[in-house]
């Protein structure tokens, strides 16, 4: 029988975690449900244990830290990740895991936006705008068409989980997983789901502005690391354009008079041009290094894939 692990990162979800566990047990009676308590100050752990979940602690604060420990410690064939706040309907879990079973996806995404329920249910201002902004940036950078980049309802196969280097510590983890899967060409499939807002009395841990800035910073960092040639080419182009803007009056003056009276402008323009060339050269070097890393990653992925297949054959 395939091993299914339901992963529930939690921080102060005493009010909802029991229902979430029971609902997932009803849908997946043979799955093991893991609740990772991220320093809750309420009775989240006690409630989760009383409902039959495997409860573990993650002392480093932040959802990214929880997901890192989950991926590292739990062994399964199929992983389902959701939140403990009862916003993701468990009845859609079968639609999420079926493409994983059929080997048609390494990661499935619970798309909250296509059905329109997210915008009807979510009462937090600017969250819809933030989702559209992040989605537009990533889809433009990677020429993709993912509808819901930041959803927390996902399913994974073992290959993805054991090869995912989790670098973020907080709520940028969903964005990081989306960018990583696009960059490393994992198979992705979106599954439209309904979304429901938190029940009354349950408070969101998200801060629209501070967490939004962290997500944008994560996109900026991963853009630099995954696409260094494009990243540094843009900065190089900016520097060269500034060099021309400052230097054209100097050149025009020299052509007309044979003299250069704007010496500081000439020095500044020269500095901008040199800086632009150096930035472009850095982009070229880093692009070669990134290509080498991708090749090494693919080889390591092949070794991991072979190990997973051997384990499946032994279990079969």
């Amino acid at each position: 029988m395939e091993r299914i692990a339901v992963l529930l990162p939690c921080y102060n979800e005493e009010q909802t975690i029991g229902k979430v566990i029971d609902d997932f047990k009803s849908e997946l009676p043979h799955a093991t449900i893991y609740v990772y308590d991220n320093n809750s100050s309420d009775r989240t752990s006690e409630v989760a244990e009383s409902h039959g979940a495997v409860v573990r602690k993650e002392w480093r604060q932040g959802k990214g830290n929880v997901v890192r420990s989950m991926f590292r410690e739990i062994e399964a064939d199929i992983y389902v990740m959701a939140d403990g706040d009862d916003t993701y309907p468990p009845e859609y879990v079968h639609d999420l895991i079926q493409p994983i079973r059929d080997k048609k996806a390494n990661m499935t995404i619970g798309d909250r936006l296509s059905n329109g329920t997210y915008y009807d249910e979510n009462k937090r201002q600017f969250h819809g705008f933030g989702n559209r902004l992040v989605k537009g940036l990533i889809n433009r950078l990677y020429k993709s068409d993912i509808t819901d980049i930041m959803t927390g309802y996902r399913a994974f196969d073992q290959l993805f989980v054991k090869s995912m280097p989790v670098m973020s510590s907080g709520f940028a983890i969903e964005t990081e997983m989306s960018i990583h899967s696009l960059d490393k060409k994992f198979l992705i499939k979106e599954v439209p789901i309904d979304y429901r807002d938190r029940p009354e009395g349950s408070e969101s841990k998200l801060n629209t502005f501070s967490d939004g800035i962290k997500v944008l910073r994560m996109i900026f960092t991963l853009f630099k690391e995954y696409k260094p040639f494009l990243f540094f080419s843009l900065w190089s182009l900016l520097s060269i354009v500034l060099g021309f803007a400052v230097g054209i009056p100097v050149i025009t003056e020299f052509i007309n008079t044979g003299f250069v009276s704007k010496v500081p402008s000439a020095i500044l323009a020269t500095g901008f041009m040199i800086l632009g060339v150096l930035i472009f050269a850095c982009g070229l070097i880093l692009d070669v290094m990134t290509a080498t890393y991708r090749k090494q990653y693919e080889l390591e992925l092949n070794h991991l894939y072979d190990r997973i297949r051997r384990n499946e054959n032994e279990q079969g």
Side-chain angles (χ1 to χ4, degrees):
M1 184 178 295
E2 65 185 359
R3 299 169 298 170
I4 300 177
V6 178
L7 316 181
L8 301 175
C10 286
Y11 174 63
N12 289 344
E13 302 292 0
E14 174 186 354
Q15 180 179 345
T16 55
I17 188 60
K19 180 179 182 299
V20 173
I21 294 170
D22 291 343
D23 289 346
F24 272 109
K25 276 187 172 183
S26 176
E27 298 295 333
L28 298 171
H30 300 294
T32 304
I33 300 177
Y34 295 88
V35 171
Y36 273 59
D37 187 348
N38 195 201
N39 300 312
S40 295
S41 58
D42 61 6
R43 298 179 59 254
T44 296
S45 292
E46 290 87 341
V47 173
E49 286 180 347
S50 67
H51 284 261
V54 177
V55 178
R56 295 178 181 174
K57 300 284 188 178
E58 173 52 58
W59 304 108
R60 294 165 295 183
Q61 197 66 41
K63 187 175 182 179
N65 291 323
V66 177
V67 172
R68 181 186 300 109
S69 294
M70 286 178 159
F71 283 6
R72 185 178 296 166
E73 297 171 4
I74 297 172
E75 295 291 334
D77 301 309
I78 297 176
Y79 299 78
V80 177
M81 187 175 77
D83 290 339
D85 55 10
D86 197 30
T87 55
Y88 298 118
E91 56 265 28
Y92 286 93
V93 71
H94 305 286
D95 297 330
L96 280 174
I97 66 178
Q98 194 58 48
I100 306 294
R101 280 196 180 116
D102 296 338
K103 309 298 183 184
K104 293 181 179 179
N106 301 108
M107 177 177 71
T108 54
I109 296 173
D111 171 18
R112 306 163 295 175
L113 307 182
S114 293
N115 289 345
T117 54
Y118 180 80
Y119 298 109
D120 296 333
E121 291 287 325
N122 193 338
K123 307 301 190 299
R124 286 156 288 184
Q125 292 183 341
F126 302 112
H127 276 216
F129 170 76
N131 272 306
R132 287 190 290 269
L133 176 62
V134 172
K135 177 180 71 173
L137 285 173
I138 293 178
N139 283 337
R140 186 176 294 273
L141 287 174
Y142 287 92
K143 297 180 175 60
S144 58
D145 58 353
I146 296 179
T147 303
D148 193 353
I149 297 285
M150 303 177 69
T151 178
Y153 199 12
R154 300 171 185 246
F156 318 94
D157 66 1
Q158 192 179 55
L159 184 67
F160 182 89
V161 166
K162 296 305 179 182
S163 64
M164 169 72 197
V166 178
M167 303 304 295
S168 60
S169 59
F171 282 103
I173 179 61
E174 287 90 358
T175 305
E176 182 183 2
M177 287 191 291
S178 298
I179 293 177
H180 175 74
S181 59
L182 288 170
D183 184 74
K184 298 303 185 294
K185 297 180 174 57
F186 282 104
L187 294 172
I188 307 170
K189 184 175 178 58
E190 289 193 282
V191 176
I193 63 169
D194 290 334
Y195 177 86
R196 55 197 180 208
D197 203 11
R198 284 172 169 268
E200 187 175 351
S202 177
E203 295 183 1
S204 172
K205 314 308 182 299
L206 283 170
N207 183 290
T208 302
F209 295 102
S210 64
D211 287 317
I213 291 173
K214 291 175 184 176
V215 169
L216 292 176
R217 188 188 304 150
M218 172 62 65
I219 294 174
F220 181 85
T221 300
L222 294 179
F223 178 33
K224 170 175 61 70
E225 293 177 357
Y226 288 164
K227 292 182 175 291
F229 181 73
L230 178 58
F231 178 86
F232 285 98
S233 292
L234 292 175
W235 288 105
S236 173
L237 179 62
L238 175 62
S239 183
I240 290 172
V241 168
L242 290 174
F244 273 117
V246 176
I248 285 176
V250 177
I251 296 172
T252 301
E253 180 190 32
F254 179 77
I255 292 174
N256 292 333
T257 66
F259 295 97
V260 174
S261 61
K262 303 176 180 178
V263 176
S265 295
I267 295 173
L268 182 61
T270 303
F272 274 129
M273 299 300 288
I274 293 173
L275 181 62
V277 172
L278 289 175
I279 293 174
F280 184 76
C282 289
L284 281 175
I285 295 170
L286 291 173
D287 188 63
V288 173
M289 294 175 63
T290 301
T292 303
Y293 165 74
R294 284 198 178 101
K295 293 174 184 177
Q296 185 63 37
Y297 182 87
E298 286 295 323
L299 292 175
E300 294 294 333
L301 208 60
N302 290 339
H303 293 319
L304 178 59
Y305 181 82
D306 291 340
R307 181 175 64 82
I308 292 172
R309 294 288 80 81
R310 285 196 301 270
N311 290 339
E312 288 180 349
N313 292 332
E314 290 172 1
Q315 292 171 6

